[in-house]
Amino acid sequence: MSVKIDLTALPAPLKSKLARTTGHIALIERWNRDHADGDPRWLAYILATAFHETGGTCLPVRETGAASDAVAIARLERAFAAGRLPWVKTPYWRRDKDGKSWLGRGLVQITHRTNYARLGQAIGEDLISDPDRALDPEVALNILFTGMIEGLFTGKRLSDYFNPRRCDWTGARAMINGRESAETVAGYAKAFYAALSQA
């Protein structure tokens, strides 16, 4: 059974951002292709995560929305120096000995070389040789779905929060980034869930 979304049922801020992009369509198509009989709350939370992590585009982006690693690195350095990244202990965006930066990329901002290696292995992509592969739309979709379903980002997975006995929209943020923006993403997810319908 396929799922579709009624954009007119979304709150104005979500509706206006999604009206300018087609990113959400690829997420719904992937769901309908591979998970059509799954829990629609999972899709709602996947949509909410991609919406939040990409600044409302649901398209793969580089951290800070920068067009290049150099620009993203400069922005992250300024934010770090100004104390706006208190959760960061080691600046993961700084280039390694091979000149590569392990800053966030994709529909979920994966960071750190170890995460690129683990997720690349899980989806059969060499993200170590070319971390920018995480910006490819198909690769980014594979990372998002595999990571959230199998719990590859933090060890927490969709089934931990959405199952026959549990529905935890706020706690589900722990799959990606602890409690950071948990209420915001939960609000997006609930709105997406209300706008989803089965055809």
Side-chain angles (χ1 to χ4, degrees), residues 138-154:
E138 283 302 308
V139 173
L141 281 169
N142 290 341
I143 291 169
L144 175 69
F145 277 82
T146 303
M148 293 184 77
I149 291 170
E150 296 183 15
L152 298 179
F153 299 121
T154 65

Side-chain angles (χ1 to χ4, degrees), residues 55-101:
T57 69
C58 292
L59 295 168
V61 296
R62 184 177 280 104
E63 191 169 2
T64 77
S68 70
D69 285 359
V71 172
I73 290 167
R75 289 176 181 171
L76 289 164
E77 286 291 350
R78 283 194 300 274
F80 186 65
R84 294 195 310 269
L85 304 173
W87 57 88
V88 174
K89 304 294 184 247
T90 303
Y92 54 84
W93 55 83
R94 291 180 180 162
R95 294 188 187 276
D96 65 13
K97 62 180 174 50
D98 298 319
K100 293 177 183 168
S101 172

